[in-house]
Amino acid sequence: MNDNNKKIAFVSGGSKGIGLAIVLKMLDENYQIITCGRNIDAWNRAVAENPRLNEVDFIKTDLCGNGQLNKLFAKIKKKYGRLDAAVNNAAVQILAKGQFTDISEDILRKNLDCDLWMPTMCIKKELELMLPAGGSIVNISSISGVIPTPGAAMYSAAKYGLEGLTKTLALELIDKNIRLNTVAPGAIMTPRWEKRVQEQDREETFASVAAAIPIKRFGIPEEVANGVLWLLSDEASYVIGHTLIIDGGISLRGNV
Ligand SMILES: NC(=O)c1ccc[n+]([C@@H]2O[C@H](COP(=O)([O-])OP(=O)(O)OC[C@H]3O[C@@H](n4cnc5c(N)ncnc54)[C@H](OP(=O)(O)O)[C@@H]3O)[C@@H](O)[C@H]2O)c1
């Protein structure tokens, strides 16, 4: 499976939504891809719908806590020896929703762990596998990491943190031939949204969200993946610590 002419890339959370669209586009660009998720059934469903995903190395892993993250990167190191590219995309459903004052410390902590500490530890391990040759990393942030998001304060704080980490590391690593950037999506139609509206009137909720977006529709995962692929590529060789907002105009209004 390890063809030395291929760029080796890790994409976290490639079984669904934005991560799946990124993996499919990276296959078109001839990357050797390693991805992960907690649920093997979700991955098997994706492979059944897109048989070319058989070329992708899926390693069942919960990146949030309990030491599985280190094991995943040890496996990548043993099998491939290096990484040329990485996309830190995986994130659980927003955990701490509602008024900050009403949310328990445990939930706030878990939200921070999964939305900031988890990608932080991935970046640390990815850098070990990119040095000294260099590489390109794209972190999936959110417009909640660029503008305040009442009702999701901890998620917003975690994504602002990811933005700050990316920009700072982009400068720290600029002379090591490693570029780091973020993509900040707005409302993108993925399984995450399907879960979010489970207990509401689906069509009505989707229509009211779409109506509030300046472009009057949700984004699709491929529209985010296009930006990620460009930032990863040599075409973006002079782009350092940038936030590429892909949100149909939401952030221009200054609120979510
Ligand atoms: N969709 C949006 O509107 C939107 C907007 C702004 C930002 N974003 C950001 O875009 C990224 C992707 O979102 P999405 O909407 O595509 O989400 P999604 O549809 O829920 O997919 C998330 C992916 O991550 C994996 N994952 C979740 N938790 C994991 C864990 N602990 N360990 C390993 N893998 C895990 C999931 O697989 P398993 O469930 O099998 O683990 C799945 O493959 C996230 O960083 C999110 O914050 C999304």
Side-chain angles (χ1 to χ4, degrees), residues 7 9 11 18-31 33 85-87 136-138 140 179 181 183 221-237 244 246:
K7 284 191 172 176
V11 179
I18 293 169
L20 177 58
I22 293 167
V23 167
L24 289 169
K25 280 198 188 281
M26 289 180 83
L27 279 178
D28 293 341
E29 300 290 323
N30 205 30
Y31 282 90
I33 302 160
V87 183
S136 182
I137 296 178
V138 175
I140 307 301
R179 289 186 305 109
N181 292 285
V183 165
E222 290 71 19
E223 290 174 311
V224 179
N226 288 337
V228 172
L229 267 284
W230 178 72
L231 283 171
L232 285 178
S233 77
D234 290 342
E235 285 181 24
S237 52
L244 180 56
I246 301 180

Side-chain angles (χ1 to χ4, degrees), residues 153-180:
M154 205 65 228
Y155 174 74
S156 185
K159 293 293 194 183
Y160 266 85
L162 189 58
E163 289 286 338
L165 183 73
T166 306
K167 290 180 196 309
T168 304
L169 291 179
L171 278 180
E172 273 191 20
L173 292 152
I174 200 161
D175 56 356
K176 301 267 195 294
N177 195 28
I178 293 182
R179 289 186 305 109
L180 292 101

Side-chain angles (χ1 to χ4, degrees), residues 3 17 74 77 95 98 111 130 139 145 177 184 208:
D3 170 350
K77 184 175 183 183
L95 296 168
N111 200 158
M130 285 183 181
N139 296 319
N177 195 28
S208 73

Side-chain angles (χ1 to χ4, degrees), residues 109-158:
R109 181 63 202 230
K110 195 155 188 233
N111 200 158
L112 191 61
D113 280 351
C114 292
D115 281 317
L116 182 55
W117 190 244
M118 178 171 101
T120 300
M121 287 301 102
C122 287
I123 294 166
K124 192 156 170 49
K125 293 287 166 189
E126 287 153 7
L127 292 174
E128 287 172 18
L129 290 169
M130 285 183 181
L131 291 167
S136 182
I137 296 178
V138 175
N139 296 319
I140 307 301
S141 163
S142 167
I143 50 166
S144 296
V146 184
I147 47 177
T149 310
M154 205 65 228
Y155 174 74
S156 185

Side-chain angles (χ1 to χ4, degrees), residues 17-226:
I18 293 169
L20 177 58
I22 293 167
V23 167
L24 289 169
K25 280 198 188 281
M26 289 180 83
L27 279 178
D28 293 341
E29 300 290 323
N30 205 30
Y31 282 90
Q32 170 61 58
I33 302 160
I34 305 114
T35 190
C36 70
R38 296 161 299 178
N39 181 344
I40 187 75
D41 295 337
W43 177 249
N44 287 339
R45 276 196 299 277
V47 176
E49 279 171 27
N50 306 276
R52 55 201 183 107
L53 290 173
N54 278 307
E55 291 168 42
V56 175
D57 199 351
F58 177 85
I59 304 176
K60 182 176 177 295
T61 308
D62 184 348
L63 291 171
C64 202
N66 71 24
Q68 291 185 24
L69 186 150
N70 287 342
K71 285 189 193 142
L72 167 84
F73 283 98
K75 280 185 194 162
I76 296 175
K77 184 175 183 183
K78 190 166 176 211
K79 188 162 177 187
Y80 299 96
R82 67 168 209 279
L83 281 176
D84 303 300
V87 183
N88 295 303
N89 159 78
V92 292
Q93 202 74 13
I94 300 177
L95 296 168
K97 273 187 281 188
Q99 284 295 302
F100 183 76
T101 45
D102 297 339
I103 299 166
S104 73
E105 286 179 28
D106 279 356
I107 298 288
L108 291 174
R109 181 63 202 230
K110 195 155 188 233
N111 200 158
L112 191 61
D113 280 351
C114 292
D115 281 317
L116 182 55
W117 190 244
M118 178 171 101
T120 300
M121 287 301 102
C122 287
I123 294 166
K124 192 156 170 49
K125 293 287 166 189
E126 287 153 7
L127 292 174
E128 287 172 18
L129 290 169
M130 285 183 181
L131 291 167
S136 182
I137 296 178
V138 175
N139 296 319
I140 307 301
S141 163
S142 167
I143 50 166
S144 296
V146 184
I147 47 177
T149 310
M154 205 65 228
Y155 174 74
S156 185
K159 293 293 194 183
Y160 266 85
L162 189 58
E163 289 286 338
L165 183 73
T166 306
K167 290 180 196 309
T168 304
L169 291 179
L171 278 180
E172 273 191 20
L173 292 152
I174 200 161
D175 56 356
K176 301 267 195 294
N177 195 28
I178 293 182
R179 289 186 305 109
L180 292 101
N181 292 285
T182 69
V183 165
I188 310 299
M189 188 50 78
T190 67
R192 171 182 268 248
W193 271 95
E194 294 285 352
K195 262 196 191 160
R196 217 165 134 173
V197 298
Q198 257 167 12
E199 281 145 33
Q200 302 160 29
D201 180 326
R202 188 178 175 282
E203 295 311 318
E204 202 179 298
T205 309
F206 284 158
S208 73
V209 173
I213 300 169
I215 203 169
K216 302 292 176 217
R217 66 168 176 86
F218 278 80
I220 58 170
E222 290 71 19
E223 290 174 311
V224 179
N226 288 337

